Structures are given as C-alpha cells and as structure tokens.
Amino acid sequence: MVQKKKRNVIVGQSGGPTAAINSSLAGVYRTAIDRGYNKVYGMIHGVQGLMEGRYVDLSDHIQSGLDIELLKRTPSAYLGSCRYKLPEIFESKEIYEKIFDILAKLEIDCFIYIGGNDSMDTIKKLSDYAIISGSDIRFVGCPKTIDNDLALTDHTPGYGSAAKYIGTSVKEIIRDSWSLETSHGQVIIVEVMGRNAGWLTGATALAKGEDCDGPDAIYLPEIPFDMDAFIKKIKALLKTKASIVIAVSEGIRTKDGKYVSDMDKSVEYVDAFGHKQLTGTARYLCNIVSAECGCKTRAIELSTLQRAASHCASRVDILEAYEVGGAAMKAADEGDSGKMVVLERLSDDPYQAGTEVKDVHKIANDERTVPREWISKDGTYVTNEFITYVRPLIQGDVGPIMVDGIPRHLYRPGFQDIL
Amino acid sequence: MVQKKKRNVIVGQSGGPTAAINSSLAGVYRTAIDRGYNKVYGMIHGVQGLMEGRYVDLSDHIQSGLDIELLKRTPSAYLGSCRYKLPEIFESKEIYEKIFDILAKLEIDCFIYIGGNDSMDTIKKLSDYAIISGSDIRFVGCPKTIDNDLALTDHTPGYGSAAKYIGTSVKEIIRDSWSLETSHGQVIIVEVMGRNAGWLTGATALAKGEDCDGPDAIYLPEIPFDMDAFIKKIKALLKTKASIVIAVSEGIRTKDGKYVSDMDKSVEYVDAFGHKQLTGTARYLCNIVSAECGCKTRAIELSTLQRAASHCASRVDILEAYEVGGAAMKAADEGDSGKMVVLERLSDDPYQAGTEVKDVHKIANDERTVPREWISKDGTYVTNEFITYVRPLIQGDVGPIMVDGIPRHLYRPGFQDIL
C-alpha cells in the first residue's frame, strides 16, 4: 500500500485559558513534526480567527527544544482563544464552506482543537460536515478546562494546576488570617471560579493538612445556597474561632435558581459577549455577614490568577496536557475523526492514567458536576473521596524558567499585527 | 571581667504580616540559641498579647533544623501580630510598669521586635523607659514590611518577596488577558497594596521584559490622581491595543487628598481597628472606564495574597530577613538598645548588601515613599532606576517544602488555647 504523502496540520485553542493549554499545544506540535507533517499552522483566536484568515506557521514561533519547554510553562492561550459556537450545519452551510475552503487552501490533513464543551461541539460539527461533504480532513478534540466539567474523561488538563494554585493560595490566606485575629472575630470569604461545577471550589479543601485546618466551610454550586443556614453556621463558627475562612463558588444559587451574585443590585457586570459576569458573590456575602454578625470581613476573589498561575503549576497536569496533545495528533494522524482524547484513570494509588480516544458525539455539551456523594451531608464541605480524586492531579512542580527573578514565557513575535 | 550569665530572650511580631517575617523570627531564635541564651520566648500577638500574659516558649515549637527551614517558608506572623501603639511614657506609666514587670518575671535580657514603623516606635519607647527606670534590658528592632516604607534602611525584608509575587502575577494576568482580547477592547485594573508608598505598585513593572510589555500604566499614591487624564490615557491606549492592563495603588488620591476608593459611596469597609479599608479602588475605576469607554473591564485585587505568597518568595529576601533577625539578636546580645538593624546596599551589580545598626529614634514614624525622580515625568510609570533598585531584591527562589502537592508550613500546636 502506498502511504499518502503527509501534508499540513492546523491547531487552535478555544474557551477560557488555563495554565496547561499551551502544554497541549506543544504536544500537538511536537508529535506532528515527529510524525512527518510538513507545516503546523496555529489558528489565531480559534475558528473565529481562522474564518478571518488569521493564522500563523508555528515553526516561526517554536524554533527549539527550549521553546517547547517555555511553551509548556506559558499560561493562557498562546494562539489566543475565542468563545465562538458554530451554527448547526443546516442553518448556515456557507460558514462551513468557508472554513473548508481555507483548510483546502492550506492543504490541511488534520485539524486539532484544544478546548472545553463548546470546542468539542466544534469538532463534532466540523467532522460531521466532512462526512457530508466528502472531505478526508480529520478533526480531533483535545480536552482543556480548569472547570473539570467535561464528560467521559476522568479529569481535564488545566484542572490540576488550577486546583494546586487554589489549595496553595487558600492555605496562605488562612495563615495570613491568623496573624491579626482579634476577639471580635473576622470572616474571610474566598470566591472561586466555576459557574455550575464545584470542582475548583472543592479544591480549597486541599489546604487542609497536618499544619492547617483548611477552610471552615465550602459552598459548591451543586448545592442550593441557603442564606439563613449560612449565617447560622458563621455565627456558630465565630463562637469557637477568632478567624474564619469560607470558600464559595462564583456560581452558588438559591433554591429558586437565583445567583447569589445577582442579589446585589448595586453592581452588574456583563462581559464582551453579553454573558453576565458572576463576580461579587464573596463581596455580597461579606456585606451580609458584616451586618448580621458585626465582625470584620474580607472578600478575596482568586480571579484570573487561578487559571493563569503557571508559576504554581502541577507537574502531573502539565505532563498530561502535553501527552493529551500528542495523543490527539496521533489519533488524527492514524485516521480518527470526530473523536476526543480523554484521560482514563487506571489507579489512585499509585496514580496511573492513560489516554483513550472517544466519540465526540457522546461528549459535547454535557456538563459534569461534583457527584452528590462527594459532598458532605450538610452540603458545606467535600468528602475524603473528593480529596482522593483530586490529590494525584496536583502532584509535583514544573519549575518556571526564571529570568532575572521572574518566570519567562514564550514570546509571541509579530502577533500584534495579526490580531 | 566576669561575663554576666545569659538569661532569656523574648521576641514579638507586629504590624501587617509578610512572607519573610517568620524568616527573621527563625534568625532571632537561631542566633539566641547559638549565643547561649537559656530560653527564647515568643509574644503571642506582640506587646498587646504580652501585656495579657500570652507568650510561648519557642523551643516547644522549633525543635529541629527542619523546623527552622519550615519556619523560613511559612508566611504570615507565626506568633500572631498586633496593631498596637504604646502611649507616650508620661501619659500612661502603668502600662510600662506592667510590661517591665512581666519581662522581669520572665528574666528577659533581650527584647526583639520585628515590624514596621509602629513597631520601631514601640522599641523607641521601651528603650527610653528602660533608661528612665534603670533597667538593663536591651530593646532592638528588626525591620519588616511589604510596603518598604521604613526610613534609613535601603529596603525592608518582606518587600522583595511581595515584589516578586506581584511582578509574576501581573505578568500572568497580562498573558491571560491576551487570550480573549476582542476588537471591542478590554481594560483590566489590578489593585496593589500601599497606602502612601508606591513601592509595591511600582513592582508591577517587573512584569516587563523581552516576552511581555508589562502593565500599560502604573498609578502610584505619590502622584495626585487625575481622573480626566486617566480616562484620556485609557482611550488613547485602546486605539492601539485590544487589551490593556493598568496597575493602581489602593492609596491613590486626587489633588485635594481624597482617596479614589472613597469616591464610590456604595461600599464602605472599616477594619476591626476602625481603619477604613482601601479596597475598591480598581472596582470603582472599572465602573468609570466601562461607562466612559464602553469596553469590557475587570478589577483584580491582589489582596492578602501579595503579602502571604511564600510559595513565590524571593531567596534574597528570605535570606536577608533571616540575617537581619540574627543581626538584631547579635546587637542586643552585645549591649545595643534603642536600635534597629538596617540593610545597607553596597553595590547594585553584583548586588551586595550588609546589615548595620542604627538609632531607632531616627527611624520611627518616618514614611519613605518612592522618590519623584524614580517616577516617569507624566506620573504613570516607574523609571529604569526604580527597576535597577528592585530587581536584585527578587532574585532566586526558596523552594517550598512540598508535602502531597501543597507547601508545608510550620505547625502551631496548642496556639488555639492561648489566643
């Protein structure tokens, strides 16, 4: 059998950035080159940029083994990201024709998309269109999200590093709170990302150990938030401790589905995409606690640092992200399309995991939340099973490459001109 | 000459905590033991706790060389801190009598206090009282503050680690902002601590390097804040860049001395000491920018993490803090009183610094701010001289001692009972 000559690969990043998404990009690039592909293109700002003809030749950017290592340690989406959802094929065939024209022009054989639920939806639709239109381009998805809410995979690259940063930072916040505690009491409320899934907020429990009690309560979005019970709990805690640290998800809602962050009418945030931003949950709760309990309060939002802190990345996470990128490229090279790479956990202790390839049609748009049995009975903490699950994912460090005291990232020459 | 038998030492921590203050505590302890003192007591919550008879025997807590290393890597004030300013001696002699009674009971020879301006004021008053009352107890101050606002010393332990964390985090925030930039533009405003001195806010410029442009503008409290000029600058920047990151000090004020954070009437924070908390500067400015420029905004407060992030500490800082603690103990042992240890910079390149002992009367209550010539002409950035000054202080890392993926701190057994 005559092997068809390998042509080009294109890779894109989509959705919220993470500390590990560029490690997957490095994995895709390395495997594509190793497997004999000619060019590896990078879409600027995902399919949205691609449709506008914005892409780069990645070999202009990754020129050495050192660049690969820098890229693995560079947070945020190196190529830029987008939050763009393709329309249904029957709704807008022109968009698909346009994308496939560009891919044909670039002589693309493999299309790899690194992202979360929306990105897997993109892979699903593009691979479907390839079948309809008789294209032999292969479309494979590579999972990524700090939210850890993708179905079918044991966990998602990006989550482990975010969890490690959150556990570390909350432990430091707890320590800090001890220094100026007073008999009046103080309540610190830490707000963590996660609109519907409490994987990140639950990771605050990682602060707990022989040297730290961990947060005093954890409120996940999976459990309806009860303001009266919350205040009652704070008051009870204040009787036993001078300093209390509470973790809340930005997405906690009351029984009737109303976001707690929506209760504060004085502030409203809408992002550029018209999504309401859920900031202000901790701040609002602090105001309530201050009024109800008469104590000092402080609201701390971990904000974008929790998804960008590559200086505190998990080694397991960065290496898995790299492997998953390579596995996605390998799958596409070997003929898979309409697939996503997933991580399968083989064992907790010692931790072992491997990659598998699954049908993307079974994954897209399905949000995985924390199972009820991994949340304490009264809904204000995570169980030991949760910790057993997350602990292996935060192991080991990826020393940043420090230059003059600050972590070095991979530079993006000439990007300003394409943006 | 017969050497007087050495008795006991007491050490306390005061003011805002830092990532390095416990390294100074470790230095005091180690040098006291090395120099043959019998017991090293630690005041719980500074002189305030001491007056209530709250202290520990530090040898119950530091039992090995490993404990010393853990303590150097433990953020926040291990002994607990206070914000207590002693009254003038003539105003309340009883307070001084009470403190000296406790010190006599504990057979104290040396009293070391680690802290900032208020703490040096405590050293000054206690050493004055010792002279008046004929006590031969020696009182020596050990500088500490992330704010870097102490006079006579080249810099203060705690500042370097905070600066390193701030530079690193702002660089990651800038990277993160690139991923989802849109043609509408977005403005991210990062709020940094520092009520009157801009040393920490200026350190955001450390993010600037070959791989990062750094923040687009930096607003220090030393320069009166002009809202019109600020909006004009943002509008001009938005014409050239899709994503803008601005650093502001929590303490910026308008020409008439009004805090920007006070302009937002909807929120008011007062801490347990009745000090108004200056949070909300970035949030308020974001609301203004959003209204004036019609773009997406995000306010990020680095909050207490900037003073507690020992996972990102500077090696130079942690080692200097340790040395300064040892030097304070040495000075007291050799008979100094009413003194503070300072750091003297001998050279920028290669960086060399040593300790000296200065009269605390010349230091107390004098706030050192960023010199005007280290701020750009238009007042919206720091100069290269500023960077040359701060760069050596953030060099090198202190690897946290990681246990199960999270930094380990020195435990505080039994502290709950004393608090």
Side-chain angles (χ1 to χ4, degrees):
Chain A
M1 184 186 131
V2 182
Q3 180 83 31
K4 194 179 156 197
K5 190 175 172 294
K6 288 175 182 183
R7 300 185 302 168
N8 303 326
V9 171
I10 194 160
V11 53
Q13 297 173 309
S14 168
T18 78
I21 187 170
N22 290 330
S23 188
S24 288
L25 179 63
V28 170
Y29 179 81
R30 184 64 165 263
T31 300
I33 297 299
D34 286 353
R35 289 189 164 239
Y37 283 89
N38 183 29
K39 278 191 184 299
V40 183
Y41 293 107
M43 312 169 208
I44 303 296
H45 292 144
V47 280
Q48 199 171 19
L50 181 67
M51 287 191 293
E52 296 159 4
R54 295 190 284 128
Y55 52 84
V56 290
D57 181 342
L58 267 176
S59 63
D60 292 342
H61 296 261
I62 306 171
Q63 301 185 329
S64 66
L66 177 59
D67 284 350
I68 296 264
E69 289 306 316
L70 281 169
L71 187 55
K72 284 159 82 173
R73 290 161 171 82
T74 297
S76 179
Y78 182 81
L79 295 169
S81 184
C82 68
R83 290 199 192 278
Y84 176 76
K85 204 165 171 176
L86 281 173
E88 298 296 335
I89 296 171
F90 65 86
E91 282 174 350
S92 181
K93 238 184 122 181
E94 320 81 64
I95 282 187
Y96 290 86
E97 283 164 0
K98 190 173 179 183
I99 293 172
F100 276 74
D101 279 353
I102 295 169
L103 297 180
K105 196 190 79 186
L106 293 176
E107 302 188 316
I108 300 299
D109 288 335
C110 305
F111 179 111
I112 313 289
Y113 214 40
I114 312 168
N117 275 314
D118 285 357
S119 314
M120 295 312 129
D121 181 74
T122 297
I123 286 295
K124 184 185 73 174
K125 286 169 176 162
L126 290 176
S127 61
D128 285 352
Y129 186 82
I131 293 170
I132 296 168
S133 64
S135 162
D136 59 359
I137 302 175
R138 279 93 70 196
F139 296 86
V140 175
C142 180
K144 166 281 341 171
T145 165
I146 58 165
D147 292 327
N148 200 39
D149 59 354
L150 274 178
L152 296 192
T153 184
D154 176 75
H155 56 281
T156 53
Y159 173 61
S161 292
K164 188 184 184 87
Y165 176 81
I166 289 167
T168 298
S169 296
V170 167
K171 186 168 182 174
E172 290 170 342
I173 287 168
I174 292 170
R175 262 290 164 161
D176 183 88
S177 77
W178 292 355
S179 68
L180 285 165
E181 56 198 352
T182 69
S183 49
H184 313 293
Q186 63 176 354
V187 175
I188 291 150
I189 303 183
V190 183
E191 181 172 327
V192 184
M193 283 181 169
R195 197 174 283 246
N196 299 312
W199 297 106
L200 290 172
T201 310
T204 58
L206 291 167
K208 195 173 175 173
E210 293 161 0
D211 54 337
C212 179
D213 291 338
D216 296 292
I218 301 175
Y219 292 89
L220 311 182
E222 283 83 354
I223 305 289
F225 183 78
D226 179 339
M227 188 68 82
D228 294 337
F230 172 74
I231 294 295
K232 211 172 139 189
K233 183 158 190 105
I234 301 268
K235 283 183 175 167
L237 282 165
L238 278 171
K239 280 184 190 150
T240 63
K241 292 179 80 175
S243 175
I244 291 161
V245 176
I246 306 285
V248 300
S249 159
E250 61 177 353
I252 50 172
R253 320 177 252 279
T254 53
K255 212 165 52 183
D256 55 2
K258 194 174 178 178
Y259 283 108
V260 170
S261 61
D262 278 350
M263 293 178 173
D264 186 0
K265 284 287 152 238
S266 68
V267 199
E268 188 148 316
Y269 304 95
V270 179
D271 72 14
F273 310 95
H275 296 150
K276 185 131 197 246
Q277 286 198 343
L278 297 179
T279 45
T281 304
R283 194 165 292 265
Y284 175 69
L285 289 176
C286 276
N287 288 343
I288 302 284
V289 167
S290 184
E292 293 279 339
C293 309
C295 63
K296 184 183 171 187
T297 62
R298 187 189 283 272
I300 300 179
E301 288 174 19
L302 297 184
S303 194
T304 53
L305 281 166
Q306 64 199 293
R307 70 186 187 202
S310 60
H311 77 269
C312 186
S314 147
R315 185 166 191 83
V316 164
D317 186 37
I318 297 298
L319 293 188
E320 283 186 347
Y322 188 73
E323 284 166 23
V324 163
M329 186 58 235
K330 175 171 181 274
D333 180 45
E334 295 182 353
D336 276 324
S337 190
K339 299 282 161 67
M340 177 177 95
V341 174
V342 299
L343 284 159
E344 186 108 343
R345 187 182 300 224
L346 308 171
S347 151
D348 271 330
D349 188 15
Y351 173 71
Q352 288 180 31
T355 60
E356 288 205 14
V357 172
K358 297 215 173 166
D359 186 346
V360 79
H361 294 79
K362 293 184 181 152
I363 293 160
N365 302 320
D366 197 6
E367 238 175 3
R368 191 175 58 117
T369 55
V370 178
R372 183 61 186 88
E373 62 271 24
W374 286 7
I375 305 170
S376 69
K377 228 172 190 173
D378 74 349
T380 65
Y381 224 83
V382 289
T383 64
N384 287 337
E385 287 76 16
F386 182 98
I387 298 295
T388 303
Y389 166 81
V390 67
R391 184 69 75 181
L393 311 181
I394 65 159
Q395 295 300 313
D397 312 304
V398 191
I401 298 173
M402 302 299 280
V403 175
D404 240 357
I406 297 281
R408 172 60 53 102
H409 303 147
L410 187 64
Y411 184 48
R412 307 201 307 177
F415 264 54
Q416 282 296 335
D417 307 331
I418 317 169
L419 294 173
Chain B
M1 186 185 131
V2 183
Q3 179 84 31
K4 193 179 155 195
K5 190 173 173 295
K6 288 176 182 182
R7 300 185 305 169
N8 303 326
V9 171
I10 193 160
V11 53
Q13 297 174 307
S14 168
T18 79
I21 187 170
N22 290 330
S23 188
S24 288
L25 179 63
V28 170
Y29 179 81
R30 184 65 165 265
T31 300
I33 297 299
D34 285 354
R35 290 190 163 237
Y37 283 88
N38 182 28
K39 278 191 185 299
V40 183
Y41 292 107
M43 312 170 208
I44 303 298
H45 292 145
V47 279
Q48 198 169 20
L50 180 67
M51 286 192 293
E52 296 159 4
R54 295 190 286 126
Y55 52 83
V56 289
D57 180 342
L58 267 175
S59 63
D60 291 342
H61 296 261
I62 305 171
Q63 301 185 327
S64 66
L66 178 59
D67 284 350
I68 295 266
E69 288 307 316
L70 280 169
L71 187 56
K72 284 159 84 173
R73 290 161 172 83
T74 298
S76 180
Y78 182 82
L79 295 170
S81 184
C82 67
R83 289 200 193 279
Y84 177 76
K85 206 166 169 175
L86 281 173
E88 298 297 332
I89 296 171
F90 66 85
E91 283 173 351
S92 181
K93 239 185 121 181
E94 320 79 67
I95 284 187
Y96 290 86
E97 283 165 358
K98 190 174 179 183
I99 293 173
F100 276 74
D101 280 352
I102 295 168
L103 297 180
K105 197 190 79 187
L106 292 176
E107 301 188 316
I108 298 299
D109 287 335
C110 304
F111 178 111
I112 312 289
Y113 214 40
I114 312 169
N117 275 315
D118 286 356
S119 314
M120 295 312 129
D121 181 75
T122 298
I123 287 293
K124 184 185 74 175
K125 286 169 177 162
L126 290 175
S127 61
D128 285 352
Y129 187 82
I131 293 170
I132 296 168
S133 63
S135 162
D136 60 358
I137 302 175
R138 279 92 70 195
F139 295 86
V140 175
C142 181
K144 164 284 339 174
T145 165
I146 59 165
D147 292 326
N148 201 38
D149 59 353
L150 274 178
L152 297 191
T153 185
D154 177 75
H155 57 280
T156 53
Y159 173 60
S161 292
K164 187 184 185 89
Y165 176 80
I166 289 166
T168 298
S169 296
V170 167
K171 187 168 183 174
E172 289 171 343
I173 288 167
I174 292 170
R175 262 289 166 162
D176 183 88
S177 77
W178 291 356
S179 68
L180 285 164
E181 56 199 353
T182 69
S183 49
H184 313 293
Q186 63 177 352
V187 176
I188 291 150
I189 303 183
V190 183
E191 180 172 327
V192 184
M193 283 181 170
R195 198 175 281 246
N196 299 313
W199 297 106
L200 291 172
T201 310
T204 58
L206 291 166
K208 196 173 176 174
E210 293 161 1
D211 54 337
C212 179
D213 291 339
D216 296 291
I218 301 174
Y219 292 89
L220 311 182
E222 283 84 354
I223 305 288
F225 184 77
D226 178 338
M227 188 68 83
D228 293 338
F230 171 74
I231 293 294
K232 212 172 139 190
K233 183 156 191 107
I234 300 269
K235 283 183 175 167
L237 282 164
L238 279 170
K239 281 184 189 150
T240 63
K241 293 180 79 175
S243 175
I244 291 161
V245 177
I246 306 285
V248 300
S249 159
E250 61 177 353
I252 49 171
R253 319 177 253 279
T254 53
K255 211 165 52 183
D256 54 4
K258 193 173 177 179
Y259 283 108
V260 170
S261 61
D262 277 350
M263 293 177 173
D264 186 359
K265 284 286 151 239
S266 68
V267 199
E268 187 149 316
Y269 305 96
V270 178
D271 72 14
F273 309 96
H275 296 149
K276 183 133 198 242
Q277 285 197 345
L278 297 179
T279 46
T281 305
R283 193 165 293 264
Y284 174 69
L285 290 176
C286 276
N287 287 343
I288 303 284
V289 167
S290 184
E292 292 280 337
C293 308
C295 64
K296 183 183 170 187
T297 61
R298 188 189 283 271
I300 300 180
E301 288 174 20
L302 297 184
S303 195
T304 54
L305 281 166
Q306 64 200 293
R307 69 184 187 201
S310 59
H311 77 270
C312 186
S314 148
R315 185 167 191 82
V316 164
D317 186 36
I318 297 298
L319 293 188
E320 284 186 347
Y322 187 73
E323 283 166 25
V324 163
M329 187 57 234
K330 175 171 180 276
D333 181 45
E334 295 181 352
D336 275 324
S337 189
K339 298 282 161 65
M340 178 177 95
V341 174
V342 299
L343 284 159
E344 186 108 343
R345 188 183 301 224
L346 308 170
S347 151
D348 272 330
D349 188 15
Y351 173 72
Q352 289 179 32
T355 59
E356 287 205 16
V357 171
K358 296 214 174 168
D359 186 345
V360 79
H361 295 78
K362 293 184 180 152
I363 293 160
N365 301 320
D366 196 6
E367 238 175 4
R368 192 174 59 117
T369 55
V370 179
R372 183 59 186 90
E373 62 271 23
W374 285 8
I375 305 171
S376 68
K377 229 172 190 173
D378 74 348
T380 65
Y381 223 84
V382 289
T383 65
N384 287 337
E385 286 76 18
F386 181 98
I387 299 295
T388 303
Y389 165 81
V390 68
R391 183 70 75 180
L393 312 181
I394 64 160
Q395 296 300 312
D397 312 305
V398 190
I401 298 173
M402 303 298 280
V403 175
D404 240 358
I406 297 283
R408 172 59 56 101
H409 303 147
L410 187 64
Y411 184 48
R412 307 202 307 176
F415 263 54
Q416 281 298 335
D417 307 330
I418 317 170
L419 294 173

